[in-house]
Amino acid sequence: MEEGLKTADPHDCSAYTGWTGIALLYLQLYRVTCDQTYLLRSLDYVKRTLRNLNGRRVTFLCGDAGPLAVGAVVYHKLRSDYESQECITKLLQLQRAIICRDSDLPDELLQGRAGYLYALLYVSTEMGPGAVCGSAVKEVVDAIIESGKALSREEKKAERCPLLYQWHRKQYVGAAHGMAGIYYMLMQPAAKVDQETLTEMVKPSIDYMRHKRFRSGNYPSSLSNETDRLVHWCHGAPGVIHMLMQAYKVFKEEKYLKDAMECSDVIWQRGLLRKGYGICHGTAGNGYSFLSLYHLTRDKKYLYRACKFAEWCLEYGTHGCRIPDRPYSLFEGMAGTVHFLSDILAPEASRFPAFELGSPQRDTKVQKDD
């Protein structure tokens, strides 16, 4: 992978396909092994990204917020407080464009407000709640909620789906561009959305989306799409499953856990992808759904499934899969595969990169015997 990175785009600083994603991978390897060498390697890539911010996008995965948030965390772990705070200051300076009412910024995770919210929550989770002021988080959350309410009223769906979102004039469902990713972020404890809003706005919106699933247990790419084809983190059950698990944690209703288990069955049956081994639309990203469900239920069936997907990924390049445009990147290529495989070695501490926040917590209500 390191040899292949010599041919990567030197100007791509994103977490999705660029140098910040590689920095995240080395940060992950440091977290799993506690080897300081990996942290210093992460710093090398952080320095590279911070020299090349372009200001075109503002999210964690695809914009400047990602390099700044990861930089803040890496410098914090190295006890370089001045550099860490400088990254946070620059991160917060992006907020004006996020909350501006005249902005045409979408709300989704990859390129919209939810992606910027992730960056704030990532810093807070890794460095402590005092790292980012609560008012900054609240303003972004309020902007996301108001945007969802406005579209719902416009589409005359306020009673059925109080928070409705679209991207490029389509009401996408999945984690990357759709409602699953946005609802997931609003349910994060660090977002501090009040219980009334969660119960009266987020929950019925999730239920509206749940009723759009196919008989197979998979989900459409958008509300208007009736084709049961995609089984990716970006579009389909592998992304929606994370939202369902979070809904179970927040609302304590068994229907969400049941739906998540049905998503897992879809992924087990259809989740080995010819599209590749990456995270966004590849087998590694699908395998993370099993690890997350294992953390929640402690049912070793899901750890077994994750391991079987990892075995498939270990045969990298032997399945005739498509070569992605960025073959060594975190969300499209080999770096994402390595990230997933490293988490298989430490399943108790694993965490889906740039999506799950904080260390996995055991849910005693559904715990099974180890």
Short mmCIF file of all heavy atoms in Angstrom, two decimals, residues 149-179:
data_model
loop_
_atom_site.label_atom_id
_atom_site.label_comp_id
_atom_site.label_asym_id
_atom_site.label_seq_id
_atom_site.Cartn_x
_atom_site.Cartn_y
_atom_site.Cartn_z
N LYS A 149 -37.03 20.11 8.30
CA LYS A 149 -38.42 20.53 8.50
C LYS A 149 -38.94 21.30 7.29
O LYS A 149 -40.08 21.12 6.86
CB LYS A 149 -38.52 21.38 9.77
CG LYS A 149 -38.37 20.59 11.05
CD LYS A 149 -38.09 21.47 12.25
CE LYS A 149 -39.22 22.41 12.58
NZ LYS A 149 -38.93 23.18 13.82
N ALA A 150 -38.10 22.16 6.72
CA ALA A 150 -38.51 22.98 5.58
C ALA A 150 -38.83 22.12 4.36
O ALA A 150 -39.86 22.32 3.70
CB ALA A 150 -37.42 23.99 5.24
N LEU A 151 -37.98 21.14 4.07
CA LEU A 151 -38.25 20.28 2.91
C LEU A 151 -39.47 19.41 3.15
O LEU A 151 -40.27 19.17 2.23
CB LEU A 151 -37.03 19.40 2.61
CG LEU A 151 -37.19 18.51 1.37
CD1 LEU A 151 -37.36 19.34 0.10
CD2 LEU A 151 -36.00 17.55 1.22
N SER A 152 -39.65 18.95 4.37
CA SER A 152 -40.82 18.13 4.69
C SER A 152 -42.10 18.91 4.46
O SER A 152 -43.08 18.38 3.91
CB SER A 152 -40.74 17.65 6.14
OG SER A 152 -41.79 16.77 6.43
N ARG A 153 -42.11 20.17 4.88
CA ARG A 153 -43.29 21.02 4.63
C ARG A 153 -43.50 21.24 3.13
O ARG A 153 -44.63 21.16 2.63
CB ARG A 153 -43.13 22.36 5.34
CG ARG A 153 -43.25 22.30 6.86
CD ARG A 153 -43.40 23.69 7.45
NE ARG A 153 -42.24 24.54 7.17
CZ ARG A 153 -41.19 24.66 7.97
NH1 ARG A 153 -41.15 23.99 9.11
NH2 ARG A 153 -40.19 25.48 7.65
N GLU A 154 -42.41 21.48 2.44
CA GLU A 154 -42.49 21.73 1.00
C GLU A 154 -43.05 20.52 0.26
O GLU A 154 -43.82 20.65 -0.70
CB GLU A 154 -41.10 22.08 0.48
CG GLU A 154 -41.04 22.42 -0.99
CD GLU A 154 -39.62 22.71 -1.44
OE1 GLU A 154 -38.85 23.31 -0.65
OE2 GLU A 154 -39.28 22.34 -2.57
N GLU A 155 -42.67 19.32 0.70
CA GLU A 155 -43.11 18.08 0.06
C GLU A 155 -44.42 17.55 0.65
O GLU A 155 -44.88 16.48 0.28
CB GLU A 155 -42.02 17.01 0.20
CG GLU A 155 -40.73 17.34 -0.52
CD GLU A 155 -40.86 17.21 -2.03
OE1 GLU A 155 -41.58 16.30 -2.48
OE2 GLU A 155 -40.25 18.03 -2.74
N LYS A 156 -44.97 18.32 1.60
CA LYS A 156 -46.23 17.94 2.26
C LYS A 156 -46.15 16.56 2.91
O LYS A 156 -47.05 15.73 2.81
CB LYS A 156 -47.39 17.98 1.25
CG LYS A 156 -47.66 19.39 0.70
CD LYS A 156 -48.82 19.38 -0.28
CE LYS A 156 -49.23 20.81 -0.66
NZ LYS A 156 -48.12 21.62 -1.18
N LYS A 157 -45.03 16.33 3.62
CA LYS A 157 -44.84 15.07 4.32
C LYS A 157 -44.60 15.29 5.81
O LYS A 157 -44.09 14.40 6.51
CB LYS A 157 -43.66 14.30 3.72
CG LYS A 157 -43.91 13.79 2.31
CD LYS A 157 -42.72 12.99 1.80
CE LYS A 157 -42.98 12.45 0.40
NZ LYS A 157 -41.82 11.69 -0.13
N ALA A 158 -44.94 16.46 6.33
CA ALA A 158 -44.58 16.83 7.70
C ALA A 158 -45.14 15.85 8.72
O ALA A 158 -44.50 15.57 9.74
CB ALA A 158 -45.05 18.24 8.00
N GLU A 159 -46.34 15.33 8.50
CA GLU A 159 -46.94 14.40 9.47
C GLU A 159 -46.29 13.03 9.42
O GLU A 159 -46.13 12.37 10.44
CB GLU A 159 -48.45 14.30 9.23
CG GLU A 159 -49.21 15.57 9.57
CD GLU A 159 -50.71 15.38 9.45
OE1 GLU A 159 -51.15 14.22 9.25
OE2 GLU A 159 -51.45 16.37 9.57
N ARG A 160 -45.94 12.59 8.22
CA ARG A 160 -45.37 11.24 8.08
C ARG A 160 -43.86 11.22 8.30
O ARG A 160 -43.32 10.26 8.86
CB ARG A 160 -45.68 10.69 6.69
CG ARG A 160 -47.16 10.41 6.43
CD ARG A 160 -47.40 10.09 4.98
NE ARG A 160 -47.20 11.27 4.14
CZ ARG A 160 -47.00 11.23 2.82
NH1 ARG A 160 -46.95 10.06 2.21
NH2 ARG A 160 -46.85 12.35 2.13
N CYS A 161 -43.19 12.26 7.83
CA CYS A 161 -41.72 12.31 7.90
C CYS A 161 -41.31 13.74 8.24
O CYS A 161 -41.02 14.54 7.35
CB CYS A 161 -41.12 11.87 6.56
SG CYS A 161 -39.31 11.78 6.55
N PRO A 162 -41.28 14.09 9.52
CA PRO A 162 -41.02 15.48 9.92
C PRO A 162 -39.70 16.05 9.45
O PRO A 162 -39.57 17.26 9.27
CB PRO A 162 -41.07 15.41 11.45
CG PRO A 162 -41.87 14.18 11.76
CD PRO A 162 -41.56 13.21 10.67
N LEU A 163 -38.69 15.18 9.26
CA LEU A 163 -37.38 15.63 8.79
C LEU A 163 -37.05 14.92 7.48
O LEU A 163 -36.75 13.72 7.47
CB LEU A 163 -36.30 15.34 9.84
CG LEU A 163 -36.45 16.01 11.20
CD1 LEU A 163 -35.35 15.57 12.14
CD2 LEU A 163 -36.46 17.54 11.06
N LEU A 164 -37.12 15.65 6.40
CA LEU A 164 -36.90 15.09 5.06
C LEU A 164 -35.71 15.79 4.42
O LEU A 164 -35.56 17.01 4.55
CB LEU A 164 -38.15 15.28 4.21
CG LEU A 164 -38.20 14.59 2.84
CD1 LEU A 164 -38.20 13.07 3.01
CD2 LEU A 164 -39.44 15.04 2.07
N TYR A 165 -34.88 15.02 3.73
CA TYR A 165 -33.67 15.58 3.15
C TYR A 165 -33.49 15.10 1.71
O TYR A 165 -33.95 14.02 1.34
CB TYR A 165 -32.44 15.19 3.98
CG TYR A 165 -32.52 15.70 5.40
CD1 TYR A 165 -33.01 14.89 6.42
CD2 TYR A 165 -32.12 17.00 5.70
CE1 TYR A 165 -33.09 15.37 7.73
CE2 TYR A 165 -32.19 17.48 7.00
CZ TYR A 165 -32.69 16.66 8.01
OH TYR A 165 -32.78 17.15 9.30
N GLN A 166 -32.79 15.91 0.92
CA GLN A 166 -32.50 15.51 -0.44
C GLN A 166 -31.11 15.98 -0.84
O GLN A 166 -30.54 16.88 -0.23
CB GLN A 166 -33.54 16.07 -1.42
CG GLN A 166 -33.56 17.59 -1.54
CD GLN A 166 -34.64 18.09 -2.48
OE1 GLN A 166 -35.53 17.33 -2.90
NE2 GLN A 166 -34.59 19.36 -2.83
N TRP A 167 -30.60 15.37 -1.87
CA TRP A 167 -29.30 15.72 -2.44
C TRP A 167 -29.44 15.61 -3.95
O TRP A 167 -29.89 14.59 -4.47
CB TRP A 167 -28.22 14.78 -1.90
CG TRP A 167 -26.83 15.14 -2.34
CD1 TRP A 167 -26.09 16.21 -1.94
CD2 TRP A 167 -26.02 14.41 -3.27
NE1 TRP A 167 -24.85 16.20 -2.55
CE2 TRP A 167 -24.79 15.10 -3.37
CE3 TRP A 167 -26.20 13.24 -4.00
CZ2 TRP A 167 -23.75 14.66 -4.19
CZ3 TRP A 167 -25.17 12.81 -4.82
CH2 TRP A 167 -23.96 13.50 -4.91
N HIS A 168 -29.09 16.68 -4.65
CA HIS A 168 -29.26 16.74 -6.10
C HIS A 168 -30.69 16.38 -6.50
O HIS A 168 -30.92 15.60 -7.42
CB HIS A 168 -28.26 15.82 -6.80
CG HIS A 168 -26.86 16.37 -6.78
ND1 HIS A 168 -25.82 15.80 -7.47
CD2 HIS A 168 -26.31 17.44 -6.14
CE1 HIS A 168 -24.72 16.49 -7.28
NE2 HIS A 168 -24.99 17.49 -6.45
N ARG A 169 -31.64 16.94 -5.74
CA ARG A 169 -33.08 16.79 -6.02
C ARG A 169 -33.61 15.37 -5.84
O ARG A 169 -34.71 15.05 -6.28
CB ARG A 169 -33.42 17.30 -7.43
CG ARG A 169 -33.09 18.76 -7.64
CD ARG A 169 -33.50 19.22 -9.02
NE ARG A 169 -33.18 20.62 -9.23
CZ ARG A 169 -33.94 21.64 -8.85
NH1 ARG A 169 -35.08 21.41 -8.23
NH2 ARG A 169 -33.56 22.88 -9.09
N LYS A 170 -32.84 14.51 -5.22
CA LYS A 170 -33.31 13.15 -4.91
C LYS A 170 -33.30 12.95 -3.40
O LYS A 170 -32.36 13.37 -2.72
CB LYS A 170 -32.40 12.09 -5.57
CG LYS A 170 -32.83 11.66 -6.94
CD LYS A 170 -32.04 10.43 -7.36
CE LYS A 170 -32.51 9.90 -8.70
NZ LYS A 170 -31.78 8.67 -9.08
N GLN A 171 -34.32 12.26 -2.90
CA GLN A 171 -34.42 11.98 -1.48
C GLN A 171 -33.75 10.64 -1.20
O GLN A 171 -34.37 9.59 -1.16
CB GLN A 171 -35.89 12.01 -1.05
CG GLN A 171 -36.49 13.41 -1.15
CD GLN A 171 -37.99 13.43 -1.18
OE1 GLN A 171 -38.65 12.43 -0.94
NE2 GLN A 171 -38.56 14.59 -1.48
N TYR A 172 -32.43 10.71 -1.03
CA TYR A 172 -31.63 9.51 -0.85
C TYR A 172 -31.86 8.91 0.54
O TYR A 172 -32.16 9.62 1.51
CB TYR A 172 -30.15 9.82 -1.04
CG TYR A 172 -29.75 9.95 -2.50
CD1 TYR A 172 -29.67 11.19 -3.11
CD2 TYR A 172 -29.46 8.82 -3.26
CE1 TYR A 172 -29.31 11.32 -4.44
CE2 TYR A 172 -29.10 8.93 -4.60
CZ TYR A 172 -29.03 10.18 -5.18
OH TYR A 172 -28.68 10.30 -6.51
N VAL A 173 -31.68 7.61 0.62
CA VAL A 173 -31.92 6.86 1.86
C VAL A 173 -30.63 6.54 2.59
O VAL A 173 -30.57 6.59 3.81
CB VAL A 173 -32.71 5.56 1.54
CG1 VAL A 173 -32.76 4.64 2.76
CG2 VAL A 173 -34.11 5.90 1.06
N GLY A 174 -29.58 6.20 1.88
CA GLY A 174 -28.39 5.60 2.47
C GLY A 174 -27.55 6.49 3.36
O GLY A 174 -27.87 7.66 3.62
N ALA A 175 -26.42 5.95 3.79
CA ALA A 175 -25.58 6.62 4.78
C ALA A 175 -24.79 7.78 4.19
O ALA A 175 -24.59 8.80 4.85
CB ALA A 175 -24.64 5.61 5.41
N ALA A 176 -24.33 7.67 2.96
CA ALA A 176 -23.43 8.68 2.41
C ALA A 176 -24.14 9.97 2.03
O ALA A 176 -23.74 11.05 2.44
CB ALA A 176 -22.69 8.11 1.20
N HIS A 177 -25.18 9.85 1.23
CA HIS A 177 -25.88 11.02 0.71
C HIS A 177 -27.29 11.17 1.27
O HIS A 177 -27.99 12.12 0.92
CB HIS A 177 -25.98 10.95 -0.82
CG HIS A 177 -24.66 10.96 -1.51
ND1 HIS A 177 -23.77 12.00 -1.41
CD2 HIS A 177 -24.07 10.02 -2.30
CE1 HIS A 177 -22.69 11.73 -2.13
NE2 HIS A 177 -22.84 10.54 -2.67
N GLY A 178 -27.71 10.24 2.10
CA GLY A 178 -29.12 10.18 2.44
C GLY A 178 -29.46 10.36 3.90
O GLY A 178 -28.65 10.75 4.74
N MET A 179 -30.72 10.03 4.17
CA MET A 179 -31.31 10.29 5.48
C MET A 179 -30.74 9.40 6.58
O MET A 179 -30.66 9.82 7.73
CB MET A 179 -32.83 10.14 5.36
CG MET A 179 -33.44 11.24 4.51
SD MET A 179 -35.23 11.10 4.26
CE MET A 179 -35.29 9.85 2.99
#
